[in-house]
Amino acid sequence: MSRSALITGITGQDGSYLAEHLLAQGYEVHGLVRGQNNPRAATVSRIAPELHLVEGDLHDQSSLIGVLETTHPDEVYNLAAISFVALSFKQAINTGQITGLGVTRLLDAIRLVNPTIRFYQASSSEMFGKVRETPQNELTPFHPRSPYGVAKVYGHHITVNYRESYGMFAVSGILFNHESPRRGLEFVTRKITDAVARIKLGLESELRLGNLDAQRDWGFAGDYVRAMHLMLQQPEPDDYVVATGETHSVREFLELAFSQVGLHWQDHVVCDERFLRPADVDMLVGDAGKARRELGWAPTVSFPELVAMMVESDLRTLSSSGGLAAAP
Ligand code: NAP
Ligand code: G4F
């Protein structure tokens, strides 16, 4: 019999890649969609037509219980969150409710309906924040720098707590930044590649950004969803860092993205303090040694390949839509 999975956050970047990956492995896949007419549901259904969409919201625990009772998943992947760090400063309480407490609502629903379900929590390198050591691994202490990071630390600890308290197969994947042509336009990588394509096509002339010195460990989202699945196939539940082990600045990303279309970023980028954060994470770089050894996981897409993939995709999409399209 085929295995069954429930993915929250199905309309986000990772949701669609994970759905494709699990469907290719023969899973029956259910995706949780919130809202009465979520416009992003149609996009993910187009990407993964065999996906079953179900209604629910991390704010509403009875909706989660209902979904677990009707879909009977063997595995639950909790990808839903307010995931944009800048927004979390403006909506700190909402972020705590969804990105933090939402994890408990889902874990507790699983405990009540079927505690043998295997659970994946989408934890984040933002938990390391003001880093205590470099590179960061599973034992590095947390020092979050945003309401988002604080909420993710809560989500991480409650996942470990349900594992230790109730013997549940609950794991926390501490993933570093991962990007793709499906990345939301609010995140810096996609904001840059979309702008590069618009400027190249003559649709716009400038790009306004905040902190160009920030350094991130950027990988490809398609690689990272494989690690999520592998974590739930292990004999024992455990937590893993997933990262490339390389770090690059926003400035380096700009350099590569603009030069790919024969432009100089210095001619187009304007620093705008509206995009600075009350506190930022200066530098992240992960040590994914444990994931390599125990999961056999390794990234397949290099930093230059990732930038090229995203620029090419935005150029293609905008060229074919006359400058109207946002998501490929
Ligand atoms: P994303 O594109 O921002 O997607 C977030 C998803 O959460 C969307 O599908 C959104 O649905 C859903 N959601 C928000 N509030 C909800 C609620 N109240 N109830 C149900 N669903 C809700 O995020 P992503 O990049 O795919 O990341 C997936 C997860 O990994 C997130 O938890 C993120 O924090 C975490 N993470 C991401 C990265 C990264 O670099 N991408 C790194 C580490 C950890 P709507 O369509 O309804 O808005
Ligand atoms: O692309 P970002 O918004 O991603 P950030 O803050 O690193 O968070 C992402 O990765 C986390 C994993 O570490 C996830 F948990 C989280 O959900 C999300 O997916 O910003 C990256 C850097 C920051 O330092 C930011 O200050 O880019 C800097 N930046 C400079 N100008 C900008 C901009 N970021 C955005 N979004 N927009 C700008 O104009």
Side-chain angles (χ1 to χ4, degrees):
M1 247 174 57
S2 78
R3 291 179 69 72
S4 162
L6 171 69
I7 303 172
T8 74
I10 193 71
T11 54
Q13 170 188 253
D14 293 4
S16 64
Y17 281 108
L18 180 60
E20 285 178 309
H21 182 62
L22 296 180
L23 287 165
Q25 310 273 320
Y27 278 70
E28 177 180 296
V29 183
H30 303 270
L32 188 86
V33 178
R34 69 168 166 160
Q36 59 189 45
N37 186 17
N38 189 324
R40 303 211 283 172
T43 307
V44 69
S45 290
R46 217 170 26 247
I47 292 170
E50 302 132 85
L51 176 68
H52 305 282
L53 294 180
V54 287
E55 289 166 0
D57 195 310
L58 282 198
H59 269 304
D60 184 323
Q61 195 179 18
S62 66
S63 72
L64 303 176
I65 291 172
V67 163
L68 291 172
E69 284 174 342
T70 52
T71 58
H72 305 291
D74 300 298
E75 299 171 7
V76 170
Y77 296 85
N78 183 35
L79 309 187
I82 288 189
S83 76
F84 186 33
V85 173
L87 179 65
S88 79
F89 284 103
K90 294 176 182 154
Q91 296 187 15
I93 293 169
N94 206 22
T95 302
Q97 278 290 344
I98 300 171
T99 306
L101 267 181
V103 187
T104 312
R105 289 193 194 97
L106 188 50
L107 276 167
D108 220 46
I110 291 172
R111 185 176 69 85
L112 293 169
V113 173
N114 175 6
T116 69
I117 291 171
R118 295 188 168 206
F119 176 81
Y120 172 86
Q121 166 58 14
S123 291
S124 166
S125 51
E126 275 289 306
M127 301 190 303
F128 298 123
K130 194 172 167 63
V131 298
R132 307 278 182 85
E133 62 180 351
T134 294
Q136 297 83 51
N137 62 40
E138 293 79 6
L139 302 176
T140 303
F142 299 140
H143 185 147
R145 296 271 283 170
S146 63
Y148 168 81
V150 172
K152 283 290 182 186
V153 170
Y154 172 85
H156 170 83
H157 284 308
I158 200 71
T159 300
V160 174
N161 180 259
Y162 268 57
R163 178 166 83 216
E164 293 176 352
S165 305
Y166 305 113
M168 287 168 57
F169 196 109
V171 311
S172 169
I174 306 175
L175 272 51
F176 282 63
N177 297 53
H178 44 279
E179 319 293 316
S180 73
R182 299 180 196 166
R183 186 61 143 150
L185 286 162
E186 65 273 37
F187 300 97
V188 77
T189 54
R190 183 80 198 291
K191 184 173 170 180
I192 292 171
T193 61
D194 175 70
V196 164
R198 286 178 190 279
I199 292 168
K200 182 67 183 173
L201 295 172
L203 301 167
E204 274 171 25
S205 59
E206 71 170 27
L207 166 63
R208 304 185 83 85
L209 292 174
N211 177 11
L212 306 189
D213 295 323
Q215 291 173 263
R216 291 291 183 274
D217 182 331
W218 279 299
F220 171 54
D223 282 337
Y224 285 45
V225 300
R226 285 190 290 109
M228 297 176 189
H229 176 245
L230 286 168
M231 283 180 220
L232 293 196
Q233 314 313 310
Q234 300 310 301
E236 297 297 330
D238 205 348
D239 309 320
Y240 296 88
V241 158
V242 178
T244 70
E246 275 184 33
T247 192
H248 299 275
S249 65
V250 174
R251 203 174 265 102
E252 285 174 82
F253 196 104
L254 282 169
E255 179 72 47
L256 272 183
F258 275 88
S259 64
Q260 193 177 323
V261 297
L263 296 172
H264 297 290
W265 68 269
Q266 293 90 339
D267 296 336
H268 302 280
V269 172
V270 177
C271 286
D272 185 333
E273 63 180 27
R274 283 181 304 149
F275 297 107
L276 297 175
R277 297 172 183 178
D280 207 346
V281 172
D282 297 333
M283 196 273 285
L284 291 172
V285 58
D287 170 3
K290 182 176 169 185
R292 276 178 201 271
R293 285 189 305 276
E294 296 185 12
L295 306 179
W297 178 87
T300 65
V301 177
S302 71
F303 180 66
E305 286 168 346
L306 177 65
V307 179
M309 177 201 302
M310 293 177 69
V311 170
E312 276 163 24
S313 169
D314 278 320
L315 269 176
R316 203 169 41 244
T317 311
L318 283 165
S319 306
S320 60
S321 71
L324 292 173

